Amino acid sequence: MTIDEFIKEVESIANYYSLKVEILAKTNNAVKIKVPITENIYIQLYYNQKSGTKNYVLVGWNRRLFGRDCIGGKWHKHPFEDPEKHDFSKNGRREVSISEFFHEVFNLLRKSGLI
């Protein structure tokens, strides 16, 4: 996947939720994107096309609330219940699309009463 394809995918799913996309940084190999949800809650996504690194993070009040990362081709999850933990269970290790991550985030936010 190219950086431009990654950005288009983020824009598409953000549009589904009527959210704006802010490109925080972009180089030839990487992009960092912020998608604000509320004043204090946002999704931050990072993609490096050279290394294949992907970081999808739900941030609230300037700290990670939930996340999924792919480093060196291996995925893990930072669970909502304990976002500092690294979950390498079968569910934690599975690859997720940007769309699936957004759906997970909105389900968690609704269940927890944050939106």
Side-chain angles (χ1 to χ4, degrees):
M1 173 183 295
T2 68
I3 288 176
D4 289 335
E5 290 168 337
F6 183 84
I7 293 168
K8 284 181 183 178
E9 193 170 331
V10 172
E11 288 172 338
S12 176
I13 190 63
N15 186 53
Y16 174 83
Y17 285 100
S18 300
L19 300 172
K20 293 182 180 179
V21 172
E22 300 173 15
I23 305 225
L24 301 177
K26 183 180 175 188
T27 67
N28 289 335
N29 290 316
V31 64
K32 184 176 181 181
I33 299 171
K34 179 178 179 180
V35 181
I37 299 171
T38 69
E39 184 177 323
N40 297 310
I41 299 171
Y42 61 92
I43 293 172
Q44 185 170 289
L45 304 108
Y46 171 83
Y47 174 58
N48 184 308
Q49 71 181 2
K50 191 172 186 178
S51 68
T53 299
K54 295 176 184 175
N55 303 110
Y56 306 157
V57 184
L58 171 63
V59 179
W61 301 273
N62 296 316
R63 64 181 182 89
R64 177 176 43 211
L65 300 177
F66 173 71
R68 290 201 178 255
D69 300 325
C70 178
I71 301 168
K74 297 182 180 183
W75 284 86
H76 68 272
K77 178 171 75 169
H78 295 274
F80 188 74
E81 302 77 29
D82 187 3
E84 295 307 312
K85 181 180 175 185
H86 292 80
D87 176 1
F88 291 100
S89 69
K90 185 176 180 180
N91 181 356
R93 290 190 322 259
R94 70 183 176 81
E95 180 176 356
V96 295
S97 66
I98 297 166
S99 175
E100 186 175 356
F101 182 74
F102 271 66
H103 295 317
E104 285 181 318
V105 161
F106 278 90
N107 285 335
L108 288 169
L109 291 174
R110 283 185 197 107
K111 283 170 118 176
S112 65
L114 292 172
I115 58 168

